[in-house]
Amino acid sequence: MREFIGKTMALARPYRGRLALGVLFGILAGLASPLLILSIKLVFDVVFPGADQTELEKWQEALKNAPIFIQKLAAAMNDWLHSTHDRPSNGVILLAISTVPLAMLLRGVFGYLNSYFLQWVGVRAVTDLRKQLFAHLNSLSLSFFHQTSTGELMSRISNDTSVLQGAITNNVAVLAKEPVTVISVLCYLFWKQPHLTVLVVLVFPICMVPLTVYARKVRKGSAAIQEQYVELSKIMHETFTGNRVIKAYNLEAAVEKQFSTSATGFIHHFMRVVRSLELPGPMIEFVGSVGVAFILIYVAFWSKVQMKQSDFLAFIIAIFTLYQPIKALTRLYHSMVQARASSERVFELLATKSTVAEPANPVPLKAAGADIHFDQLTFGYGEKTVLQDIRLTVRAGTLVALVGHTGSGKTTLTNLLLRFYDPNQGTIRIGDTDIRQVSLHDLRGQMAVVTQETILFNDTIRNNIALGRPGATEAEIVAAAKHANAHEFIIERPAGYDAQIGEKGGGLSGGQRQRLAIARAIVKDAPILLLDEATNALDTEMERAVQVALDELMKGRTTICIAHRLSTTQHANLIVVLDQGRIVETGTHAELFALGGIYHKLYSLQFPP
Ligand SMILES: Nc1ncnc2c1ncn2[C@@H]1O[C@H](COP(=O)(O)OP(=O)(O)OP(=O)(O)O)[C@@H](O)[C@H]1O
Ligand SMILES: [Mg+2]
């Protein structure tokens, strides 16, 4: 718990000014509670005469160390009360009565400011946490995202932090005000009724028993609820993004059942938490009131203490004033337990290290005109080795084609060059620079990629192309679209470049999506070009047209091109054949064809003699 509080406080550190203000007003609001009791007693004394006036002298005694002006005020008030005989003047009565709303006002204003400032801090601290988590997740390597489901991450960022926010904003306000209320009211009680108060204090620990018993249940239940949320998010994310398949295979009923099972499981955990949260309050109240009843019995039958009515009234009010803050404090405790349970995974995620580390002192990379060297590279995603002993030099400004059976490791090789993963052994150098010494931003900034599956965002066509290089001009975007043979289908749409393309480019054909991805790579204008099946979704005629544009684009750039259709790779300066993660053949088309190996076989299958 202490660790959790430490982490939460660290979040509030940037806002410590307001935090201090909030706590200060909380203390003032807490101190206003006994003030209220005092004023009620004062009114009682004044309105029901016969009460002895030495009361104010006692006050004066108590105020001995208070600032002078308060002492003077008290003295004046004392004189005033003493100057009247049996019944104080109407003015005095009105003045005394007015102290009640005044005390109430003070308590209200302080309470408001207390809550306002602490919530101000709370919502900002949690927003910071959310931003921090999002940025941190973004910085993690691809392998992390392959291991963790998107639904889970979304749920962690929105639901888990919400619980923390709820705990902070709803309950932190309680933190300063209520303990001060309890302590100050107890002080008042000790001052007035030491004997009875000892009894009250003895009852307290009994009240705390239910609290600790239920705290564990709250924590377990809350953690389970967050897990259910994660489960729901996973199902939702997968269903909505894969809706096409769900529909095509009539899977609606199956996913609905899954969702419903998960959603119903939630009820059980939720009710468990509700019981654990709601039971201790009334239990404490009941135990407390039994305690009060015993005190009353004691006063009525055994006590020799002769109590003034007003004193007794103040005593009872004081005890009941204690209820609310104690109840609030139990809620606070449970909330903290809840927040801790759900934020555990958030802090865990924040502590996750990226498997692809940024260099501490990055060196600048100059990729233009530099050869790319793969040196004895070995790599596997898990146990299984996917690439083995890769030695390859890609000369600056040339086109190298990677060919091979599916699963032979072609995409993996480009993943390593982009540093989505680091090799297990060996190095990749661009020029003389090991890519691990370069900042990821710099490295990836010098490569334009068209991936095997085209990734588009639910935005306008223009913005999807402009992602290649933020700040690209309209003319550059249109020129790139023309190069990628996309301009025509774009202007056919009523909204043209401003047309929304739907989630993942759902409103476009596969070939149109691919041409947008190519346009994006063209806009990027990077010295290294990685084309992974960049034209596989196009028909032969369109492919030829786009290929012309790509050939144009490749001029002066270092290009690694992956294609199953060997027609597109024939003209490469170097063809590299991968088989089960090893380079088995390298050479030009003519050389490899003459060799009569794997390349020859692949080529003959596609172009039968
Ligand atoms: N994220 C991953 N985690 C674990 N294994 C992976 C991952 N990605 C790919 N693999 C495995 O690595 C091997 C090589 O995959 P890769 O994607 O590099 O093949 P490829 O040559 O590009 O195939 P294709 O021509 O079908 O695109 C495959 O056996 C694949 O199952
Ligand atoms: Mg691939």
Side-chain angles (χ1 to χ4, degrees):
M1 198 55 154
R2 191 180 301 166
E3 192 191 344
F4 165 70
I5 292 175
K7 279 176 180 164
T8 318
M9 286 314 290
L11 287 173
R13 196 163 298 142
Y15 310 110
R16 45 181 176 253
R18 309 269 175 143
L19 185 68
L21 271 181
V23 171
L24 176 73
F25 282 118
I27 293 172
L28 290 176
L31 289 176
S33 286
L35 202 66
L36 189 66
I37 299 170
L38 276 176
S39 54
I40 289 174
K41 190 183 133 43
L42 174 74
V43 171
F44 200 82
D45 280 341
V46 170
V47 175
F48 299 96
D52 74 319
Q53 307 288 343
T54 54
E55 203 51 43
L56 276 164
E57 272 160 16
K58 259 198 235 163
W59 280 38
Q60 230 169 357
E61 182 69 19
L63 290 174
K64 220 164 43 201
N65 295 324
I68 294 294
F69 77 96
I70 292 184
Q71 283 190 36
K72 284 200 172 142
L73 201 73
M77 203 146 171
N78 201 11
D79 289 346
W80 203 0
L81 286 173
H82 276 282
S83 66
T84 59
H85 298 290
D86 280 343
R87 184 188 154 89
S89 73
N90 288 348
V92 172
I93 293 179
L94 285 179
L95 191 74
I97 290 176
S98 71
T99 57
V100 176
L102 202 68
M104 200 60 117
L105 181 71
L106 275 184
R107 200 172 75 148
V109 169
F110 290 150
Y112 168 76
L113 290 174
N114 163 241
S115 172
Y116 177 83
F117 281 120
L118 290 181
Q119 304 236 27
W120 191 98
V121 173
V123 72
R124 277 165 182 76
V126 171
T127 305
D128 286 350
L129 177 68
R130 217 172 252 157
K131 289 192 225 165
Q132 199 187 337
L133 183 62
F134 184 73
H136 181 75
L137 291 179
N138 256 335
S139 77
L140 292 179
S141 62
L142 218 56
S143 57
F144 172 82
F145 289 96
H146 286 151
Q147 285 158 11
T148 325
S149 83
T150 309
E152 159 157 14
L153 295 180
M154 290 183 357
S155 180
R156 298 291 174 205
I157 290 188
S158 44
N159 292 331
D160 290 18
T161 51
S162 286
V163 175
L164 189 62
Q165 178 174 346
I168 292 181
T169 54
N170 292 330
N171 294 291
V172 150
V174 167
L175 201 60
K177 185 175 123 191
E178 308 300 12
V180 175
T181 308
V182 171
I183 292 170
S184 57
V185 170
L186 275 180
C187 286
Y188 169 80
L189 283 174
F190 267 118
W191 174 40
K192 283 296 188 187
Q193 305 289 341
H195 297 294
L196 292 185
T197 309
V198 168
L199 279 180
V200 172
V201 171
L202 285 181
V203 178
F204 265 20
I206 304 172
C207 297
M208 295 301 133
V209 175
L211 192 64
T212 45
V213 171
Y214 283 103
R216 261 189 52 222
K217 296 188 184 213
V218 170
R219 190 161 58 92
K220 282 196 179 152
S222 306
I225 286 177
Q226 293 317 116
E227 288 313 313
Q228 293 290 334
Y229 270 132
V230 166
E231 202 53 43
L232 287 183
S233 299
K234 274 188 202 166
I235 298 172
M236 284 191 285
H237 178 256
E238 279 170 8
T239 306
F240 298 150
T241 52
N243 201 250
R244 212 178 235 279
V245 176
I246 304 273
K247 286 202 187 339
Y249 286 86
N250 282 329
L251 295 174
E252 289 94 339
V255 288
E256 276 160 32
K257 186 153 173 282
Q258 230 184 333
F259 187 87
S260 141
T261 313
S262 211
T264 317
F266 171 82
I267 295 179
H268 165 70
H269 296 298
F270 184 80
M271 289 316 293
R272 198 162 67 151
V273 172
V274 167
R275 281 194 297 274
S276 316
L277 282 183
E278 296 303 325
L279 271 177
M283 277 167 115
I284 291 174
E285 276 179 14
F286 175 70
V287 174
S289 64
V290 169
V292 171
F294 274 117
I295 290 169
L296 289 179
I297 290 171
Y298 170 79
V299 171
F301 296 107
W302 293 291
S303 171
K304 307 258 179 333
V305 190
Q306 284 302 309
M307 226 194 272
K308 257 176 25 178
Q309 279 171 332
S310 69
D311 278 337
F312 191 70
L313 179 74
F315 179 72
I316 295 295
I317 291 177
I319 289 198
F320 280 94
T321 312
L322 282 179
Y323 266 179
Q324 206 276 329
I326 288 180
K327 215 165 117 186
L329 283 173
T330 63
R331 267 180 201 283
L332 167 76
Y333 180 63
H334 281 153
S335 268
M336 301 276 275
V337 170
Q338 233 174 338
R340 180 184 149 209
S342 57
S343 61
E344 244 162 25
R345 189 72 182 114
V346 169
F347 286 120
E348 223 174 85
L349 282 176
L350 271 180
T352 314
K353 290 243 173 357
S354 178
T355 49
V356 174
E358 283 274 8
N361 304 304
V363 295
L365 175 71
K366 198 173 170 303
D371 297 347
I372 304 172
H373 307 275
F374 296 89
D375 272 343
Q376 301 175 28
L377 223 56
T378 299
F379 174 75
Y381 291 101
E383 299 276 287
K384 198 175 135 246
T385 309
V386 172
L387 288 176
Q388 202 153 21
D389 199 25
I390 301 291
R391 299 159 197 244
L392 177 66
T393 298
V394 178
R395 295 260 166 249
T398 63
L399 165 62
V400 169
L402 295 180
V403 300
H405 293 292
T406 172
S408 55
K410 304 180 294 293
T411 302
T412 305
L413 197 61
T414 62
N415 284 346
L416 294 182
L417 183 57
L418 281 160
R419 253 198 113 200
F420 289 157
Y421 303 89
D422 277 336
N424 302 357
Q425 279 168 35
T427 50
I428 301 175
R429 286 178 293 119
I430 297 178
D432 290 326
T433 318
D434 185 335
I435 59 170
R436 274 174 294 200
Q437 297 172 332
V438 182
S439 82
L440 292 171
H441 186 84
D442 191 9
L443 177 73
R444 292 170 190 162
Q446 303 195 39
M447 298 184 195
V449 191
V450 180
T451 51
Q452 206 160 3
E453 69 276 11
T454 27
I455 312 280
L456 297 176
F457 296 92
N458 190 6
D459 200 341
T460 60
I461 288 180
R462 173 184 296 104
N463 288 345
N464 265 288
I465 298 177
L467 281 176
R469 186 161 46 84
T473 65
E474 181 72 19
E476 287 169 328
I477 290 172
V478 173
K482 281 186 176 156
H483 255 84
N485 273 30
H487 183 68
E488 271 168 31
F489 87 78
I490 297 172
I491 54 171
E492 266 171 26
R493 304 190 159 233
Y497 281 84
D498 289 314
Q500 292 280 340
I501 59 170
E503 189 156 283
K504 291 188 174 176
L508 299 172
S509 82
Q512 290 171 337
R513 265 180 288 199
Q514 198 153 46
R515 279 176 280 164
L516 285 192
I518 292 172
R520 181 195 290 164
I522 294 174
V523 160
K524 185 154 182 185
D525 189 24
I528 297 175
L529 201 56
L530 303 177
L531 303 173
D532 193 348
E533 301 284 358
T535 55
N536 66 348
L538 307 180
D539 61 42
T540 321
E541 197 185 339
M542 184 58 76
E543 179 173 25
R544 208 156 286 162
V546 173
Q547 195 61 48
V548 172
L550 283 178
D551 289 342
E552 183 70 26
L553 179 68
M554 288 172 199
K555 277 186 191 147
R557 294 171 213 270
T558 314
T559 310
I560 296 179
C561 166
I562 299 172
H564 283 288
R565 275 193 233 167
L566 299 182
S567 56
T568 54
T569 59
Q570 279 183 49
H571 312 293
N573 302 91
L574 185 72
I575 297 174
V576 177
V577 184
L578 277 173
D579 190 41
Q580 297 189 14
R582 289 172 185 276
I583 294 179
V584 287
E585 296 169 12
T586 46
T588 61
H589 170 71
E591 287 164 5
L592 293 183
F593 191 74
L595 196 68
I598 293 183
Y599 184 79
H600 181 93
K601 216 170 90 191
L602 287 173
Y603 193 83
S604 307
L605 281 173
Q606 287 184 20
F607 303 96

